[in-house]
C-alpha cells in the first residue's frame, strides 16, 4: 500500500455567530498522511494549527486550535483520471489556547469533535497530486462558558505519494 503525505493551507471559518463576530476567521495549515489504503478507501492522520488574531481594546486577542484527527476518505471515481472527488469523515482531539492581552490571561482547553469532508483531487503526475478540501468540524465545547469553535476548514494542498 502506497502512502501519501499532504501539506495544506487555508482558512478556518467559524460557524457560531458569537465566534464569527469575535474571531472572524483564522489562518491554518495541515499536515496529514494517508497511511493505509485498500481500493478507494484511505485512512489518514492529520495535525497542524489554526490561528486567529483580532484587535480588542487596543490589544490582541489570539485563538490557536491544534488538531489531532483520524479520518477515512473514499475516492469517487478513478485515480487514473486527472480529477477525482472524495468524501469522508472522522474524529479527533483539539487543543485550544485563547489569549487576550487586554485581560492578561490565557485559557487552555482540550476538546473533542468529529468532522465531515469533501473535496477534489487533481493528479499532476504519478507521485504528485493537488487537492481542494472543505472540512466541517463539529467541536464539543468543554464548558458552558466556552465559545463554540466549530467551523469550516477550507484548504488547498499538495500531496506526494511514496
Amino acid at each position: 500500500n502506497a502512502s501519501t503525505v499532504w501539506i495544506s493551507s487555508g482558512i478556518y471559518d467559524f460557524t457560531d455567530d458569537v465566534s464569527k463576530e469575535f474571531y472572524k476567521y483564522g489562518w491554518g495549515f495541515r499536515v496529514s498522511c494517508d497511511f493505509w489504503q485498500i481500493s478507494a478507501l484511505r485512512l489518514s492522520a492529520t495535525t497542524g494549527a489554526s490561528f486567529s488574531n483580532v484587535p480588542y481594546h487596543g490589544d490582541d486577542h489570539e485563538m490557536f486550535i491544534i488538531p489531532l484527527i483520524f479520518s477515512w476518505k473514499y475516492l469517487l471515481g478513478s485515480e487514473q483520471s486527472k480529477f477525482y472527488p472524495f468524501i469522508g469523515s472522522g474524529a479527533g482531539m483539539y487543543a485550544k489556547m485563547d489569549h487576550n492581552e487586554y485581560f492578561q490571561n490565557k485559557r487552555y482547553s482540550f476538546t473533542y469533535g468529529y468532522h465531515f469532508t469533501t473535496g477534489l483531487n487533481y493528479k499532476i503526475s504519478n507521485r504528485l497530486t493537488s487537492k481542494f478540501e472543505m472540512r466541517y468540524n463539529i467541536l464539543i465545547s468543554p464548558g458552558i462558558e466556552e465559545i463554540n469553535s466549530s467551523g469550516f476548514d477550507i484548504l488547498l494542498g499538495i500531496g506526494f505519494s511514496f
Side-chain angles (χ1 to χ4, degrees):
N1 288 340
S3 296
T4 304
V5 173
W6 295 94
I7 298 173
S8 303
S9 182
I11 63 170
Y12 189 88
D13 189 11
F14 295 93
T15 55
D16 182 66
D17 289 339
V18 174
S19 299
K20 194 174 208 55
E21 183 178 319
F22 196 76
Y23 294 113
K24 310 293 185 221
Y25 61 89
W27 299 103
F29 73 92
R30 300 287 182 266
V31 176
S32 63
C33 179
D34 295 346
F35 60 86
W36 187 77
Q37 68 180 24
I38 184 167
S39 188
L41 181 66
R42 306 286 189 269
L43 297 181
S44 67
T46 304
T47 190
S50 293
F51 171 74
S52 178
N53 184 359
V54 179
Y56 181 77
H57 290 277
D59 291 310
D60 288 334
H61 192 118
E62 301 168 337
M63 164 73 89
F64 292 92
I65 301 172
I66 300 171
L68 178 57
I69 303 168
F70 294 96
S71 307
W72 66 268
K73 181 170 51 174
Y74 188 80
L75 305 179
L76 304 170
S78 170
E79 283 187 284
Q80 306 309 319
S81 62
K82 284 279 190 192
F83 291 97
Y84 51 99
F86 61 88
I87 60 170
S89 67
M93 296 293 297
Y94 299 81
K96 299 186 331 183
M97 188 202 60
D98 200 353
H99 178 224
N100 188 329
E101 291 178 359
Y102 182 75
F103 295 117
Q104 291 298 312
N105 65 352
K106 291 183 184 178
R107 282 185 50 111
Y108 299 98
S109 63
F110 287 97
T111 188
Y112 64 95
Y114 50 96
H115 67 273
F116 301 96
T117 186
T118 187
L120 181 66
N121 290 342
Y122 174 72
K123 192 170 195 168
I124 298 170
S125 70
N126 258 358
R127 293 188 177 252
L128 201 59
T129 305
S130 65
K131 76 173 172 180
F132 169 75
E133 179 178 8
M134 286 186 62
R135 181 181 296 155
Y136 178 55
N137 301 294
I138 302 167
L139 305 184
I140 310 304
S141 297
I144 294 172
E145 75 282 351
E146 185 78 22
I147 289 179
N148 184 345
S149 338
S150 296
F152 284 96
D153 270 321
I154 303 167
L155 303 165
L156 290 174
I158 191 130
F160 182 75
S161 298
F162 56 93

